[in-house]
Amino acid sequence: MVKAIVGANWGDEGKGKITDVLAQDADIVVRFQGGANAGHTIKNKYGKFSLHMIPSGAFSESTVCVIGNGVALDIPKLIGEISDITSKGVPKPNLLVSDRAQVVMPYHILLDGYEEARLAGKAYGSTKSGIAPCYSDKYAKIGFQVNELFMPDDALMERVQNVCTIKNTLIEHLYHQEKLVPEEVFKTIREYAEMIRPYVAHTSAYLYNALQEGKTILVEGQLGTMKDIDHGIYPMVTSSNTIAGFSAAGAGIPPYEIKDIICVTKAYASSVGGGDFVTELHGDAADELRRRGGDGGEFGATTGRPRRVGWYDCVASRYGCRVQGATEVALTVLDPLGYLDEIPLCIAYNKDGEEVNDFPNVTELAHCKPVYKMMPGWKCDIQGIRNFDELPKEAQNYVDEIERQIGFPITMVSNGPAREDIIKRTPKIK
């Protein structure tokens, strides 16, 4: 059986924690897309960690972690991350890396930074991790798959020289920076090959055989629906497909094997990067929610920069869950909202005087304002509660109303940062 764990919103919904929880009963966890441009924050018996490349099953000793072919693989960051977690007492992950994953090269990171600098005030809010240039090269068929790092010298140098010819035209004439040296790129590729060699595998064959043996597989995505290259708030999106439908292609498994799609959504909203964000807060209200949110505040796991925050958006979440094909929903970080007397819940948009319930395209989204329903707050700390019925009635009502508005069953509620801070809930809708 395959379960997909994906984000309903703009990323940073808490997918890492949900994957960490469910990985305790899974045989394999697969990362199917994205790169080191976002992190999954996990808190467990080993401590608090921000994973960027390693799948979130890394803390379960019996779980095999797989980096699928759909990932933009930053090899130095992956190796550094393995070293970091093992230095803190975590057993070395049982890791396999697809021989078909695309490799993030140093020039991808340079080009990402050059382009953001060129765009200046109109930049896309990139983390400058080389993700867009890497995926661009993948589709232009001038990227490097992991298996190609091991090509014979002559063939590899021919590829490198061709890539350098293309990139140096941009670097010299558009960005006015120092050109790439083919011999240096070649040397880096050989270094990357040795770094990644112990982990390389034909992972789609491995996963196929695992399914034949009846093993349980989790596939985890990075970011959320609103950052999907096709279905998100384009162009302020990531450069890959964040939706569960792509997980089959990005992991190399048959799509019919995905039986459960767990869509993760926060009890308030936060957004990664730029783009329209209808319920966004500003000023003191934003600072207060940002300071109280998450585990130690709403700041990027990769960049450390303050996240944009706002009230829960039922319109966006309903759309996000629908596009993901959610079979169940996990609602995270409910506990930070305990300081509020009442909580605004966005149940519709007002677009030029018309009430809108379906999430619009980005051209129309710019004209939308939130329509709020005010929900009573519970004014207390709810961490440590393990049964839904023991939550304050106001907290129960808030969860129930979100479920009713989005139309998808909420089966889990997270009320704290630790692995144990999960409440199993019987949904009121099917």
Side-chain angles (χ1 to χ4, degrees), residues 75-206:
I75 292 174
K77 287 187 178 177
L78 172 64
I79 301 304
E81 202 165 274
I82 293 170
S83 177
D84 178 60
I85 67 171
T86 54
S87 72
K88 297 172 181 174
V90 179
K92 188 174 182 179
N94 188 354
L95 177 68
L96 300 176
V97 175
S98 172
D99 56 0
R100 290 168 170 79
Q102 289 284 318
V103 179
V104 176
M105 298 297 294
Y107 54 78
H108 290 141
I109 297 170
L110 288 174
L111 287 165
D112 204 353
Y114 294 159
E115 180 63 5
E116 285 288 292
R118 186 186 72 85
L119 291 170
K122 297 182 179 179
Y124 295 118
S126 169
T127 62
K128 303 176 186 177
S129 302
I131 307 304
C134 178
Y135 279 119
S136 295
D137 281 3
K138 173 180 179 176
Y139 291 105
K141 296 178 284 293
I142 57 172
F144 289 94
Q145 289 188 342
V146 167
N147 68 88
E148 293 177 308
L149 304 181
F150 304 93
M151 292 171 66
D153 287 354
D154 290 346
L156 179 58
M157 180 55 82
E158 183 178 349
R159 286 282 306 279
V160 168
Q161 287 175 333
N162 178 57
V163 169
C164 287
T165 297
I166 296 168
K167 300 303 179 187
N168 282 339
T169 301
L170 279 174
I171 290 170
E172 182 180 12
H173 298 291
L174 179 61
Y175 300 125
H176 309 293
Q177 299 290 337
E178 187 175 343
K179 293 192 293 184
L180 302 176
V181 178
E183 290 76 15
E184 292 180 1
V185 175
F186 180 92
K187 180 183 177 183
T188 297
I189 287 175
R190 288 303 192 219
E191 291 171 352
Y192 281 12
E194 293 312 307
M195 293 165 71
I196 202 66
R197 186 187 294 274
Y199 306 103
V200 179
H202 189 349
T203 55
S204 66
Y206 169 79

Side-chain angles (χ1 to χ4, degrees), residues 17 383-386 413-423:
K17 175 181 176 174
Q383 284 194 24
I385 296 174
R386 295 289 180 268
V413 176
S414 171
N415 65 331
R419 180 185 286 172
E420 300 77 22
D421 294 325
I422 287 284
I423 299 172

Side-chain angles (χ1 to χ4, degrees), residues 9 51 59 73 86 131 133 211 216 221 230 270 347 381-382 426:
N9 305 119
L51 299 184
F59 302 100
L73 177 67
T86 54
I131 307 304
L211 288 168
T216 300
D230 289 309
S270 66
I347 60 171
D381 182 8
I382 59 172
T426 301

Side-chain angles (χ1 to χ4, degrees), residues 111-417:
L111 287 165
D112 204 353
Y114 294 159
E115 180 63 5
E116 285 288 292
R118 186 186 72 85
L119 291 170
K122 297 182 179 179
Y124 295 118
S126 169
T127 62
K128 303 176 186 177
S129 302
I131 307 304
C134 178
Y135 279 119
S136 295
D137 281 3
K138 173 180 179 176
Y139 291 105
K141 296 178 284 293
I142 57 172
F144 289 94
Q145 289 188 342
V146 167
N147 68 88
E148 293 177 308
L149 304 181
F150 304 93
M151 292 171 66
D153 287 354
D154 290 346
L156 179 58
M157 180 55 82
E158 183 178 349
R159 286 282 306 279
V160 168
Q161 287 175 333
N162 178 57
V163 169
C164 287
T165 297
I166 296 168
K167 300 303 179 187
N168 282 339
T169 301
L170 279 174
I171 290 170
E172 182 180 12
H173 298 291
L174 179 61
Y175 300 125
H176 309 293
Q177 299 290 337
E178 187 175 343
K179 293 192 293 184
L180 302 176
V181 178
E183 290 76 15
E184 292 180 1
V185 175
F186 180 92
K187 180 183 177 183
T188 297
I189 287 175
R190 288 303 192 219
E191 291 171 352
Y192 281 12
E194 293 312 307
M195 293 165 71
I196 202 66
R197 186 187 294 274
Y199 306 103
V200 179
H202 189 349
T203 55
S204 66
Y206 169 79
L207 293 172
Y208 179 82
N209 291 333
L211 288 168
Q212 303 309 302
E213 296 168 8
K215 292 186 176 180
T216 300
I217 299 173
L218 302 181
V219 292
E220 67 165 344
Q222 177 218 57
L223 298 173
T225 307
M226 302 306 161
K227 293 297 177 177
D228 182 83
I229 189 69
D230 289 309
H231 300 283
I233 52 171
Y234 188 90
M236 298 298 187
V237 292
T238 194
S239 299
S240 60
N241 289 106
T242 64
I243 60 172
F246 179 76
S247 65
I253 57 176
Y256 55 76
E257 295 286 0
I258 303 172
K259 307 299 185 185
D260 192 11
I261 299 172
I262 301 167
C263 214
V264 186
T265 181
K266 268 180 177 169
Y268 55 91
S270 66
S271 178
V272 179
D276 291 301
F277 181 13
V278 173
T279 66
E280 183 172 11
L281 288 170
H282 301 278
D284 292 343
D287 290 339
E288 182 76 355
L289 181 55
R290 185 180 298 113
R291 181 178 66 82
R292 292 175 177 271
D295 177 23
E298 287 289 353
F299 299 92
T302 299
T303 63
R305 64 192 179 193
R307 293 188 186 120
R308 302 161 68 196
V309 295
W311 303 125
Y312 192 86
D313 188 333
C314 295
V315 180
S317 296
R318 186 187 308 122
Y319 169 80
C321 290
R322 175 176 65 79
V323 171
Q324 294 284 8
T327 56
E328 55 181 308
V329 174
L331 184 72
T332 62
V333 287
L334 182 65
D335 49 299
L337 300 180
Y339 72 99
L340 294 159
D341 293 315
E342 56 181 4
I343 308 169
L345 186 65
C346 176
I347 60 171
Y349 293 164
N350 184 308
K351 182 174 75 70
D352 299 328
E354 175 190 2
E355 189 165 295
V356 173
N357 292 292
D358 292 324
F359 191 78
N361 63 53
V362 290
T363 304
E364 296 172 340
L365 191 62
H367 299 275
C368 292
K369 303 294 182 185
V371 176
Y372 287 120
K373 177 177 182 178
M374 303 307 295
M375 302 293 296
W378 46 94
K379 298 294 290 181
C380 66
D381 182 8
I382 59 172
Q383 284 194 24
I385 296 174
R386 295 289 180 268
N387 297 307
F388 188 76
D389 291 342
E390 294 175 10
L391 287 171
K393 192 63 181 176
E394 294 83 357
Q396 294 182 44
N397 291 341
Y398 183 72
V399 176
D400 291 347
E401 183 63 15
I402 288 176
E403 180 184 67
R404 190 181 74 82
Q405 290 287 340
I406 66 176
F408 292 86
I410 297 174
T411 59
M412 286 179 276
V413 176
S414 171
N415 65 331

